[in-house]
Amino acid sequence: MSGEAPSGSLLTDSRAAAGGDPEGDAPDGYGTLYVVGIGPGLPGEMTDRARRVIEEADCVIASNLYQAFLRDDGTLPPEDEQEDSDQELVRSSMGKQVELAREAFERVRDGQDVAHVSGGDPNVYGKSDLLFTMAEAEEATDVPIEIVPGVTAGLSLAATLGAPLSNDFCTVSLSDKWRGWEEIEEKLHAAATADFVIVLYNCWRDYERAIEAIREARHDDVPVAIVNDAGRGDAGRNVDGETYTLTTLGEATEHDEEVGGMGTSILVGTHETEVWENDYRDYLVTPRGGRDVEDF
């Protein structure tokens, strides 16, 4: 797996050095650090490129949950066969991110291709910024880094709900680990005033406070969807599997039992978002502009 990839292979053609080399040439003897988004984690929601990068990597860094996803679809070998594989698997956890980044840099310098697995998309509250920040702090700008995109939760839940993101939208994280609530509320006010459809991430942190901030600039009757483990079916953390609840902004905080944890996202519609019904279920639709077929 290690060493020089053949001309025209995935790892050669897509390699891009962190220093911005337009030819994308890695230093002699180096591998590449791939930050790979696997989407929700189920086989049908991961790109073919993400799967191939993980399969070909010398080392895969992934949490227990993501390892389980990747074993289920055959991207990683079964657990009882892992020891016989040439590929090394490293468990990732929230408390080891800095240490694992340092390890990844050294592996790449030793000629290994490393796949650092991120759920969803690495650039949407994922791991890409950490690795670039760490590369600068550790004087590791010689290490080639490439981001492999994935389907983020906002897009996955939109597919579940119908067409709620067909007009302008934004995402806001409710995590206050890096910024205070005053800044988060400012962003929510701005997004609500600008009439963006809003997708809230990290809703296990004070989602009620976020809803109240949005209500200051948006009517209580706009549709809201609370979605757990979007795109994961029964494979995620939520004990009830993938679920969604349609409600309104004025009643959203009455649904504490549906806000299940880290896998929960909340979509807040605009005055144009409407509940669309067919013979089977209700959907959410935000028209792109006109409401008549002739307007498209």
Side-chain angles (χ1 to χ4, degrees):
M1 289 186 181
S2 60
E4 185 177 352
S7 177
S9 77
L10 173 75
L11 297 184
T12 298
D13 288 349
S14 62
R15 177 173 284 148
D21 181 352
E23 299 299 324
D25 293 331
D28 289 342
Y30 278 42
T32 295
L33 172 57
Y34 294 92
V35 191
V36 186
I38 61 169
L42 298 187
E45 304 289 342
M46 185 165 63
T47 69
D48 181 60
R49 179 164 172 249
R51 181 177 293 106
R52 290 168 60 198
V53 166
I54 293 170
E55 289 175 342
E56 295 182 25
D58 299 289
C59 174
V60 177
I61 300 173
S63 69
N64 285 342
L65 179 65
Y66 298 153
Q67 288 182 31
F69 288 155
L70 295 168
R71 286 196 178 100
D72 285 345
D73 71 359
T75 304
L76 290 178
E79 193 167 5
D80 59 357
E81 298 178 12
Q82 187 67 51
E83 289 187 5
D84 298 327
S85 172
D86 292 333
Q87 184 180 71
E88 187 170 355
L89 185 60
V90 177
R91 178 179 174 272
S92 173
S93 64
M94 291 296 290
K96 294 177 59 180
Q97 295 302 323
V98 171
E99 174 186 338
L100 289 172
R102 294 191 180 109
E103 180 178 342
F105 298 152
E106 290 310 309
R107 287 179 178 273
V108 170
R109 286 168 171 152
D110 288 341
Q112 295 186 30
D113 288 312
V114 178
H116 204 309
V117 174
S118 177
D121 183 278
N123 274 312
V124 185
Y125 315 121
K127 297 177 179 176
S128 57
D129 65 319
L130 168 67
L131 291 165
F132 281 109
T133 301
M134 280 293 299
E136 183 175 7
E138 296 293 313
E139 297 184 352
T141 54
D142 58 315
V143 172
I145 302 175
E146 184 171 333
I147 309 301
V148 181
V151 178
T152 184
L155 298 181
S156 185
L157 70 85
T160 296
L161 297 172
L165 302 183
S166 295
N167 209 327
D168 297 330
F169 69 93
C170 69
T171 63
V172 179
S173 171
L174 303 187
S175 174
D176 57 359
K177 185 174 182 179
W178 290 281
R179 54 181 53 87
W181 258 99
E182 182 177 342
E183 182 179 346
I184 294 173
E185 287 177 325
E186 286 179 0
K187 293 182 177 183
L188 292 170
H189 287 146
T193 301
D195 213 25
F196 286 111
V197 175
I198 304 169
V199 181
L200 302 176
Y201 283 63
N202 296 311
C203 295
W204 53 283
R205 292 179 181 264
D206 293 332
Y207 88 96
E208 300 97 336
R209 188 170 178 177
I211 293 296
E212 293 306 317
I214 295 171
R215 289 181 68 190
E216 294 179 13
R218 193 160 292 184
H219 293 299
D220 280 349
D221 61 353
V222 302
V224 167
I226 302 169
V227 184
N228 286 296
D229 279 338
R232 287 180 171 171
D234 295 328
R237 296 184 177 95
N238 189 35
V239 293
D240 296 321
E242 180 180 359
T243 63
Y244 71 93
T245 301
L246 299 185
T247 182
T248 63
L249 186 61
E251 298 179 355
T253 57
E254 299 175 13
H255 293 273
D256 284 354
E257 66 276 11
E258 276 86 31
V259 180
M262 291 184 68
T264 302
S265 300
I266 298 176
L267 181 142
V268 180
T270 70
H271 70 283
E272 292 183 318
T273 305
E274 55 191 25
V275 179
W276 190 91
E277 303 176 7
N278 69 5
D279 294 340
Y280 311 102
R281 51 166 286 197
D282 293 341
Y283 297 85
L284 288 187
V285 177
T286 306
R288 188 178 306 175
R291 293 179 178 269
D292 298 322
V293 174
E294 291 78 9
D295 294 322
F296 285 88

